[in-house]
Amino acid sequence: IEYLKQNQKVLILGPEKSGKTSLSKKIFIDFIEMGYYPILIDGVNIKSQKRENFQKVIKSGFSEIYSSPNFEVFFQESKEKLVLIIDNFEDCMLNERFKSQLLETLDYYFENIILIGDINSNFFSYLTTQQSLLPQDYSKCEILEFDSKRRLELIQNWFDLSYSLESKDRIRTVV
C-alpha cells in the first residue's frame, strides 16, 4: 500500500487466476482504512471513453459502495484522497486507441489510479510494446505466479486452516 501511495498511478499485471481481483478488493479495503475514498470498478462496465459516460460508471460504482446519496460531495473531496481502482481493465469495451484516451480522462478526475489486468491480454501487450501510449507517470508492477513448491505449500496451509476451523466448530457443538 505504501508503494501505491507513493506511486499514484500504477498498472498491476498478472496472469489469469493469479489473484488480481482479490488484490483489487484488498487494496480497496486498505485505502478505506487509511481514510481515502476509493471506488472499485470492473472494466467490463466501461463502454465509452466519453467523459459523461464514464461519470455514469463512476457514479454507479460510488452508489454501490457508499451510503451517502450525494455523489457531488465525493468529488469535492481533496483529489489526493480519491482513489480509482479498475479491475479487469482489459475487458472494457474500447479499442486500444480509446483505452489510451480513457487514461487521459481518468487523470482529469483522479490523482490515484490503479489499473489491474491480465498480463496476457492484447491491450497490455500492446501497451508495454508501445510505451508512448502509457502515460509517463504510471509505474508498472507484475504479479508473479507461484512455483509448484509454493503452490503446494499454499494448498497445504489452506487445508490445515480449514481442518483447524472445522475442529473448533465440532468442539463448540459438543460443548
Side-chain angles (χ1 to χ4, degrees), residues 49-168:
Q49 85 285 0
K50 293 182 180 174
R51 195 170 280 173
E52 57 274 3
N53 292 336
F54 187 67
Q55 280 180 323
K56 289 178 187 175
V57 173
I58 292 174
K59 193 171 191 175
S60 174
F62 175 84
S63 63
E64 287 176 16
I65 299 164
Y66 300 101
S67 58
S68 170
N70 196 347
F71 175 69
E72 284 69 32
V73 170
F74 178 77
F75 281 104
Q76 292 172 359
E77 190 62 43
S78 170
K79 199 174 177 183
E80 297 87 39
K81 288 289 191 177
L82 305 178
V83 180
L84 178 65
I85 305 164
I86 302 179
D87 190 22
N88 303 311
F89 185 72
E90 73 280 2
D91 291 339
C92 63
M93 304 296 174
L94 305 174
N95 65 28
E96 277 74 13
R97 191 176 105 234
F98 286 135
K99 284 180 186 175
S100 296
Q101 288 177 0
L102 176 62
L103 292 178
E104 293 173 18
T105 301
L106 299 178
D107 283 344
Y108 178 79
Y109 294 106
F110 297 91
E111 273 189 36
N112 301 294
I113 302 169
I114 303 164
L115 305 176
I116 301 173
D118 191 333
I119 196 165
N120 298 315
S121 75
N122 291 338
F123 176 67
F124 288 120
S125 297
Y126 183 68
L127 256 187
T128 52
T129 58
Q130 304 291 322
Q131 285 294 325
S132 60
L133 294 177
L134 185 64
Q136 298 269 330
D137 51 352
Y138 276 82
S139 60
K140 189 175 118 183
C141 300
E142 189 174 328
I143 299 172
L144 301 176
E145 289 188 69
F146 283 134
D147 59 17
S148 57
K149 179 181 176 191
R150 298 230 181 223
R151 184 174 284 121
L152 183 61
E153 286 175 17
L154 178 65
I155 292 168
Q156 184 61 49
N157 288 339
W158 182 257
F159 282 125
D160 290 347
L161 178 62
S162 176
Y163 180 74
S164 173
L165 292 174
E166 287 175 11
S167 297
K168 286 180 184 177

